[in-house]
Amino acid sequence: MNKTIHRAQTRGHANHGWLDTYHTFSFAGYYDPRRIHFGALRVLNDDTVAPGEGFGTHPHDNMEIVSIALEGALRHGDSMGNMQELRPGEIQVMSAGTGITHSEMNASDTEPVKFLQIWVLTDAENHTPRYNQIRLAPAKRNELRTIVAPEGRGGENTGWLHQDAWFSTLDLDKGHDVEYRMHTPGNGAYVFVIEGLAEVDGEVLGRRDGMGVWDTDGFGIRASADAQVLVIEVPMR
């Protein structure tokens, strides 16, 4: 097994007043040549948007984009006519494809919104743009829950991407462990601790720490304290 560890405090950070953002990988004004991507995982941003503020209309193309709501409500609008609010327990999945414009605004004038913005490289250029918002199935403690899968391979309450990528969440009680098995030989997995303490291959990961593992068929995740974990499996080449 090969691994790389990104501690929370080593991430890129910018506070624009309306946006407080942390970048696991190079993004915007943060650049580290050692941290451009992990396989097909290109962006993992940890964003907090102030009340009444947000990302105005801007373009994307040829990228798969997943947003996971952590707190508050995020109002999405796009050039395909979609207008929805994203809340905890939901995710949005967007294929930018040949090109799309969209905005992401805090739906509240009094409370911040917190969400993870994740970009995955597409399997081919110029797909037809697509947007979906998914209400996730209830999580079961100490069990992996698939929330994103490749097209045609996910079940109900699961988003899909134009890529051999799998997103899973895990709410793990202290002292419990779960074995993660790669869906596709040769894929790698990026483990991101949203809250708590989790141990992967002998490495203890704290809140907002990340660890990428590859050249393995699977690995264990053990909770050193109650933990909420996101696992993103992607092709490495």
Side-chain angles (χ1 to χ4, degrees):
M1 177 190 293
N2 285 311
K3 61 187 177 184
T4 185
I5 300 172
H6 301 138
R7 298 295 179 187
Q9 65 270 22
T10 69
R11 296 177 297 171
H13 177 232
N15 191 334
H16 303 286
W18 66 273
L19 170 67
D20 191 11
T21 179
Y22 290 85
H23 310 309
T24 294
F25 302 103
S26 295
F27 187 87
Y30 167 61
Y31 176 73
D32 184 336
R34 300 164 299 177
R35 290 169 67 163
I36 303 296
H37 61 95
F38 175 79
L41 174 59
R42 176 61 190 88
V43 168
L44 174 49
N45 288 350
D46 180 7
D47 291 342
T48 300
V49 177
E53 301 286 353
F55 301 89
T57 301
H58 59 282
H60 292 285
D61 61 45
N62 292 313
M63 191 67 68
E64 304 292 296
I65 301 171
V66 177
S67 295
I68 302 175
L70 301 178
E71 295 180 24
L74 186 70
R75 182 179 296 118
H76 168 92
D78 63 46
S79 52
M80 295 180 289
N82 297 296
M83 180 66 75
Q84 292 183 262
E85 290 187 6
L86 183 74
R87 298 178 182 275
E90 301 175 323
I91 61 170
Q92 66 178 31
V93 180
M94 186 169 68
S95 294
T98 54
I100 188 173
T101 60
H102 75 131
S103 61
E104 305 288 348
M105 307 296 294
N106 189 338
S108 172
D109 290 327
T110 59
E111 299 295 331
V113 60
K114 300 182 179 183
F115 68 105
L116 300 178
Q117 179 187 170
I118 302 164
W119 297 7
V120 175
L121 301 172
T122 185
D123 62 1
E125 293 191 347
N126 298 326
H127 286 295
T128 299
R130 175 182 59 88
Y131 174 85
N132 287 110
Q133 186 163 316
I134 298 99
R135 164 61 63 177
L136 299 173
K140 297 180 181 179
R141 296 202 66 81
N142 305 311
E143 293 185 18
L144 287 158
R145 173 182 62 169
T146 301
I147 63 171
V148 174
E151 182 179 5
R153 298 182 66 185
E156 191 177 358
N157 306 112
T158 303
W160 64 269
L161 299 178
H162 291 293
Q163 185 54 275
D164 183 21
W166 303 78
F167 289 43
S168 302
T169 62
L170 177 62
D171 295 331
L172 206 54
D173 293 327
K174 180 180 179 180
H176 283 70
D177 58 81
V178 167
E179 182 75 10
Y180 185 90
R181 306 300 297 176
M182 298 294 183
H183 293 83
T184 302
N187 275 5
Y190 196 85
V191 181
F192 185 74
V193 178
I194 298 173
E195 299 290 348
L197 290 170
E199 183 177 329
V200 179
D201 193 40
E203 302 287 351
V204 177
L205 306 176
R207 182 180 186 272
R208 276 14 185 218
D209 287 349
M211 176 174 169
V213 298
W214 68 102
D215 289 340
T216 182
D217 294 328
F219 55 92
I221 305 173
R222 181 177 178 83
S224 305
D226 290 355
Q228 182 183 10
V229 178
L230 173 66
V231 182
I232 304 171
E233 179 185 330
V234 290
M236 296 304 292
R237 298 174 179 83

